[in-house]
Amino acid sequence: MDDILMTLRDAVGGRDVTLSLTSAGREIFDRISYDWLAGVLRAMDVAYPEQSFDLVLRADTREPMESGSYISPGLPGDTFTKEGGLGMVTVAGNPAMARVARRVSVPSLSLWAGDTAFAFVDGRHGLRRRIGQAYGQVYDRAPLSLDRFKQYRNNRKPWLKDTASRGADLLERVGPTAPSDPTRPPTAWFALHWLEPGGAEAWAFESAELARDAGLEVVITVDRAAPQRDLARALSITPHVYLGANVFVGEDWSRFGRMVLDRHRVVAIHIHHSAMAYQALPRLRHLVPDLVAIDSTHIAEHRTGGFVRQSLEHSDLLDVHHVISPTLRDTYVLEAGIPAERVAYRPLTGLRGQADERAPRATRTDARQPLRVGFLGRLAPQKRPFLFLELVRRLSKAAPGRFTFVMQGSGPLEQFVARQLGRTGLAGVIERRPWGPPSEFFDAIDVLAITSDNEGLTLTALEADSHGVLVLSADVGSQVTVVVPDLLAPREPVAFLRRASAMLTRLAADPALAPRLLDEQREIHDRLREVEPARDYFSSLFAALREDNQ
């Protein structure tokens, strides 16, 4: 316990910390690490550097997780006893100042392991909860029908017309600026959605590593309550990782953003799908006029625009929009009217997990050998794992023994996938794998199937090509940039299944077809690699920031 307390005290600058845990609380933190709790305390210490604060630790058993909430200082009461209480933390501060008290949302062991139900509508009580339960039942029993309706609704982009009228104006500073302390290291603030596995997060981590390697201090924040399973990777980049999302209430974010600027000499902010950071931009620009503000966007959500909409609405407060695909570049420049010089199209080629040189590939030479088909990704609604399961069912029924299937990944739909495997009798047909080295997965397949409802330009497609694996994909986002036309299938689920089944059947029957398509795939990937990669662009940008702020 001495080591644990030292970790927690270090997180709050040496202040006295008192920790009490139930046996369940000990079991959880022994699994997820006390660094997780330290990340929460670190965020509270930044927001409230002088005040005492009391935290009640509560186990959350479902995704999406709840954010923090208010409690009465010194009177945790029902917050602890009736809501999965795991323990309490007290951090000492100035006794003359008002105490602050919050409830912390901690992942239960089942949630950490991905064994809990996913809530399709985020509502714990009342009508929203009942709607969510009904939606989940339909998704479980008739996902294909539900998705057909969803795709019908997705065929419009009403959000794009609204961004011009809702956008922010550029701030022009008048008046004195407080000089920054030149003795503190220049800092790049990386504002992330969460610390969970995913393509956007993979790029966020790599960009933070580039800033660190350029000599900048790095700060990482998250604004979505989640298990934060990739905390260890964040901490391998910087000790300044703040898990405010699992503890803060609304008013805390404003204080926190202001105090980050007091604690660190922030010269740049790089936004990776962070709603909090977009909302903070006007104030950050006011307090740090020379701040370099950049965002990276990957995907425009069908009906709402998602983070692309937020990016466009705050465009005048951003210096550079980094986009990962030609489709997004056209959305910004041609459809939204953003000046081309402020839009940097730089693909995510050459990232970790992508081989520098393509691996030699042993191809099938005999049609009697089964064609190996795989799914790789987070088991989440956007990835449509049910569509892969239905594809497997149709292929294995129509041509038993002609295919083998591997499904690697985990996520909130883990239970759904397990039920579907049992209900359809596919448990013995599909080899299920948890997260593991991508190279081992790609060695086990011939074709990667991407069934997503929406994507930007998938990292898994780039990784597949570097390992000599064909990619079959739904025609979403900018997948046309990395997938050969013969292997693009419509987004609508029934049409996707019809097209994908036909192409995989052809590939299984004709071993000579795969090498021809792979050569074509490599040609379009070579064209993509002719564009300056994001790694090179941001390495130069961060090096220049470091030099300018010596």
Side-chain angles (χ1 to χ4, degrees):
M1 291 300 291
D2 288 343
D3 290 342
I4 293 169
L5 279 178
M6 185 175 298
T7 296
L8 301 183
R9 286 172 180 159
D10 286 346
V12 292
R15 291 204 261 173
D16 286 337
V17 177
T18 303
L19 170 67
S20 298
L21 292 174
T22 65
S23 58
R26 284 293 300 270
E27 187 178 6
I28 287 176
F29 285 109
D30 285 345
R31 173 73 181 278
I32 71 175
S33 88
Y34 288 86
D35 287 334
W36 195 101
L37 182 55
V40 170
L41 297 187
R42 196 177 296 116
M44 286 293 294
D45 180 60
V46 168
Y48 299 97
E50 298 181 41
Q51 291 166 259
S52 302
F53 53 86
D54 304 309
L55 305 179
V56 168
L57 309 175
R58 172 192 176 273
D60 205 332
T61 59
R62 53 184 256 172
E63 290 190 81
M65 291 179 69
E66 287 188 277
S67 301
S69 60
Y70 294 101
I71 60 174
S72 300
L75 295 171
D78 289 350
T79 303
F80 183 82
T81 57
K82 295 183 180 178
E83 297 190 20
L86 301 174
M88 302 184 192
V89 183
T90 299
V91 175
N94 185 340
M97 301 180 72
R99 300 181 73 88
V100 177
R102 299 286 184 267
R103 182 180 65 183
V104 182
S105 186
V106 180
S108 65
L109 288 178
S110 58
L111 179 55
W112 183 264
D115 294 334
T116 58
F118 177 76
F120 288 92
V121 177
D122 187 12
R124 262 60 178 182
H125 309 286
L127 179 60
R128 285 185 61 82
R129 180 179 182 180
R130 292 193 292 274
I131 292 172
Q133 290 172 339
Y135 191 103
Q137 290 171 1
V138 176
Y139 192 95
D140 196 32
R141 292 290 177 175
L144 207 63
S145 298
L146 184 61
D147 195 65
R148 293 185 72 181
F149 172 70
K150 182 178 178 182
Q151 299 313 318
Y152 168 76
R153 295 179 63 202
N154 284 347
N155 287 331
R156 300 182 305 114
K157 290 197 293 186
W159 57 271
L160 193 56
K161 294 182 291 186
D162 298 337
T163 53
S165 61
R166 293 168 56 99
D169 287 329
L170 182 65
L171 285 169
E172 295 184 14
R173 177 67 176 262
V174 178
T177 300
S180 60
D181 184 350
T183 64
R184 293 187 297 170
T187 299
W189 176 355
F190 290 82
L192 277 63
H193 187 62
W194 56 17
L195 304 181
E196 292 290 301
E201 288 68 35
W203 165 235
F205 285 135
E206 292 221 19
S207 59
E209 289 168 349
L210 294 173
R212 176 202 62 195
D213 295 344
L216 296 168
E217 184 173 79
V218 170
V219 163
I220 294 177
T221 62
V222 294
D223 64 1
R224 174 71 179 269
Q228 319 297 3
R229 296 178 181 91
D230 274 350
L231 173 63
R233 183 170 181 189
L235 288 171
S236 73
I237 300 170
T238 176
H240 308 298
V241 179
Y242 301 110
L243 300 185
N246 289 64
V247 63
F248 284 163
V249 298
E251 70 183 50
D252 297 332
W253 286 112
S254 178
R255 290 181 56 91
F256 175 73
R258 175 68 181 86
M259 300 304 291
V260 166
L261 301 183
D262 278 357
R263 185 160 297 195
H264 303 276
R265 182 159 71 101
V266 177
V267 299
I269 183 168
H270 193 170
I271 302 174
H272 295 266
H273 293 178
S274 171
M276 177 273 293
Y278 283 120
Q279 293 163 7
L281 273 176
R283 194 176 191 199
L284 297 180
R285 281 294 201 188
H286 173 67
L287 296 171
V288 186
D290 295 330
L291 180 76
V292 175
I294 311 156
D295 67 353
S296 283
T297 51
H298 298 238
I299 181 172
E301 301 297 340
H302 290 298
R303 292 192 306 278
T304 66
F307 289 103
V308 170
R309 176 174 183 155
Q310 294 190 51
S311 172
L312 291 172
E313 288 174 351
H314 294 85
S315 182
D316 283 343
L317 299 174
L318 287 151
D319 296 288
V320 178
H321 295 290
H322 166 231
V323 298
I324 70 162
S325 71
T327 300
L328 270 185
R329 176 197 57 200
D330 292 347
T331 296
Y332 276 78
V333 177
L334 301 180
E335 297 185 76
I338 305 300
E341 61 270 18
R342 291 206 291 116
V343 180
Y345 161 49
R346 299 296 188 279
L348 302 182
T349 49
L351 299 189
R352 180 181 299 180
Q354 299 172 30
D356 293 333
E357 297 182 2
R358 291 186 176 99
R361 187 67 177 171
T363 57
R364 292 168 66 245
T365 58
D366 189 337
R368 291 172 296 183
Q369 293 177 280
L371 184 72
R372 305 173 301 169
V373 183
F375 173 101
L376 175 66
R378 180 172 163 79
L379 301 183
Q382 177 198 328
K383 305 298 182 182
R384 296 197 293 188
F386 73 85
L387 202 52
F388 181 74
L389 298 179
E390 178 61 18
L391 179 63
V392 172
R393 189 191 69 79
R394 293 187 179 199
L395 290 172
S396 58
K397 180 180 179 181
R402 299 289 300 278
F403 301 91
T404 61
F405 304 96
V406 181
M407 191 175 193
Q408 177 165 306
S410 59
L413 294 183
E414 190 86 43
Q415 286 188 350
F416 165 82
V417 170
R419 286 193 300 271
Q420 290 292 320
L421 287 173
R423 186 178 299 146
T424 57
L426 296 175
V429 176
I430 299 176
E431 179 189 347
R432 282 286 290 117
R433 296 184 180 185
W435 289 113
S439 59
E440 294 180 8
F441 168 79
F442 288 120
D443 285 343
I445 66 170
D446 302 302
V447 182
L448 172 70
I450 298 175
T451 57
S452 302
D453 165 56
N454 199 9
E455 289 287 357
L457 190 158
T458 55
L459 290 180
T460 52
L462 301 178
E463 293 169 355
D465 181 70
S466 69
H467 288 87
V469 170
L470 277 174
V471 179
L472 180 149
S473 175
D475 187 4
V476 294
S478 198
Q479 287 298 90
V480 67
T481 309
V482 289
V483 180
V484 299
D486 283 350
L487 295 178
L488 276 174
R491 188 184 75 215
E492 195 278 330
V494 173
F496 172 89
L497 290 167
R498 188 180 300 119
R499 174 75 171 171
S501 298
M503 279 308 303
L504 290 171
T505 300
R506 282 185 59 196
L507 285 165
D510 181 5
L513 178 59
R516 294 200 301 269
L517 291 176
L518 191 57
D519 287 342
E520 187 177 345
Q521 178 178 288
R522 288 180 166 178
E523 287 180 10
I524 64 175
H525 279 251
D526 285 341
R527 289 197 295 270
L528 180 68
R529 288 185 172 90
E530 291 173 358
V531 181
E532 182 186 27
R535 279 189 63 90
D536 293 353
Y537 175 81
F538 279 93
S539 290
S540 300
L541 189 152
F542 292 138
L545 277 171
R546 180 68 181 89
E547 185 174 345
D548 292 344
N549 291 277
Q550 293 277 11

